[in-house]
Amino acid sequence: EAQVTQNPRYLITVTGKKLTVTCSQNMNHEYMSWYRQDPGLGLRQIYYSMNVEVTDKGDVPEGYKVSRKEKRNFPLILESPSPNQTSLYFCASSFSTSGSKQYFGPGTRLTVL
Amino acid sequence: QKEVEQDPGPLSVPEGAIVSLNCTYSNSAFQYFMWYRQYSRKGPELLMYTYSSGNKEDGRFTAQVDKSSKYISLFIRDSQPSDSATYLCAWTDTQGGSEKLVFGKGTKLTVNP
């Protein structure tokens, strides 16, 4: 089954404690991205990757890091989480962005205390 | 001026109604236009995409794009309770060689039986 998986699905942590949210896709997609979704602000892109070892900033990259060492995986790293990073996070993948269907993961709800 | 403006809703209609959802944008670099549907507690899923002005039909759904006026619309005919979801318009921004996806904030639709 074609899918994007994220782990963990729910996470409560404290300010400053480094965390990683994993994302994996089994569709051999080149393009992967991370979004956060907040009430009243909608879905905003954090980082994206057009292929292995190629990453670029989206609209809200501050406080986040990503890496793309393998085609299937695109982890999101919060080196020092802060309460304003409490949000719902989605990973997505597609063959490209140009009219290509983006497959979204189920989401990770993060709370930073 | 914000890059993307989407009718905020929420929208509540009776079953069988015709629904019109609208977005406007300001950036001429936007190329591919999409509508996503997001059910509660789920990731968004692609409904329709197009890259040219005009109408594109898929069953009960019609996407309309007017590049000269910079707006896109989604029409739902014979709406069903299963159409109750948040609808997100989206564009690809290809300025500077990047391929970012830009989303509207979403319109929440409820179709009442």
Side-chain angles (χ1 to χ4, degrees), chain A residues 9-10 31 33 35 37 40-45 48 50 56-59 88 90 96-107, chain B residues 3 31-34 36 38 41-46 49-51 86 88 92-95 97-106:
Chain A
R9 294 288 314 279
Y10 302 91
Y31 186 96
S33 60
Y35 301 87
Q37 190 172 38
L41 296 176
L43 204 61
R44 295 177 293 167
Q45 194 171 39
Y48 65 96
M50 295 177 73
D56 207 348
K57 296 177 181 179
D59 293 319
L88 179 59
F90 288 102
S96 72
T97 57
S98 303
S100 183
K101 179 178 179 178
Q102 287 241 326
Y103 291 78
F104 280 80
Chain B
E3 283 198 314
Q31 292 199 350
Y32 294 90
F33 307 90
M34 289 153 276
Y36 280 81
Q38 185 177 18
R41 304 183 194 281
K42 300 283 189 183
E45 56 178 342
L46 182 67
Y49 74 87
T50 184
Y51 56 87
T86 296
L88 304 160
T92 52
D93 179 356
T94 57
Q95 267 185 328
S98 71
E99 288 202 10
K100 294 194 306 180
L101 264 186
V102 181
F103 284 87
K105 292 181 182 179

